Amino acid sequence: MKIGELSRLTGVSIRSIRYYEQQGLIASGRSEKGYRLYHSLHIDQLNTIKFYLSLGLTTEQIASFLHCVLQNKEAFCRQVLPIYEQKLLELDTRIEQLQLIRSNLAERIRSIRNETEADRHVIEASER
């Protein structure tokens, strides 16, 4: 099948398919006229790539174990677990950072509301 059909069947843009090919995640054949040709197995490959991207992994990380997981159970691919553990650590760190930012913003909102309320009471008292 040609790249357009593969794109339609997987929901992956043609541009992304070309990028994945440049990154070594997939490999196409070529027709006599030079068109990229893909096999039905590429559908599974692209769906697997989409899954790992949804976990927040980079194409470089995926490339390090993709061929293994396409041939074996994920648990048999020794490269996967360290990448998962590193990603989880990154997420935990980012969540802590976001919680701190959220706390700071909530405090600023409370402070502004309290100051606005205090100013309103002063204005009301002076108008009497």
Side-chain angles (χ1 to χ4, degrees):
M1 80 184 85
K2 291 184 182 176
I3 196 168
E5 184 178 359
L6 182 62
S7 173
R8 184 180 53 76
L9 291 171
T10 60
V12 176
S13 71
I14 291 171
R15 184 176 180 207
S16 292
I17 294 170
R18 288 181 181 139
Y19 176 74
Y20 300 154
E21 198 167 345
Q22 289 173 349
Q23 297 299 306
L25 296 173
I26 63 171
S28 65
R30 293 285 181 164
S31 72
E32 290 179 10
K33 295 185 179 185
Y35 295 112
R36 287 178 170 91
L37 295 177
Y38 299 92
H39 190 273
S40 59
L41 294 175
H42 286 107
I43 294 170
D44 291 335
Q45 279 183 291
L46 287 175
N47 287 331
T48 301
I49 292 166
K50 283 176 22 179
F51 168 73
Y52 287 120
L53 288 171
S54 76
L55 293 178
L57 302 180
T58 65
T59 55
E60 292 82 14
Q61 290 169 321
I62 296 167
S64 72
F65 62 78
L66 180 64
H67 296 293
C68 181
V69 298
L70 289 171
Q71 297 174 359
N72 304 290
K73 290 177 68 174
E74 194 176 56
F76 294 133
C77 300
R78 62 178 170 75
Q79 306 96 323
V80 174
L81 190 57
I83 290 172
Y84 278 7
E85 290 170 335
Q86 177 61 37
K87 188 62 182 181
L88 189 59
L89 181 62
E90 289 171 16
L91 288 171
D92 287 342
T93 300
R94 185 69 179 137
I95 288 168
E96 287 176 23
Q97 292 170 343
L98 289 171
Q99 287 174 331
L100 180 60
I101 291 168
R102 186 190 187 290
S103 176
N104 289 338
L105 282 171
E107 176 55 36
R108 294 302 311 139
I109 289 168
R110 279 191 298 276
S111 176
I112 290 169
R113 285 187 176 151
N114 288 340
E115 191 174 329
T116 303
E117 186 65 26
D119 288 347
R120 188 176 329 128
H121 289 301
V122 170
I123 292 170
E124 288 173 359
S126 68
E127 291 176 347
R128 290 185 205 159

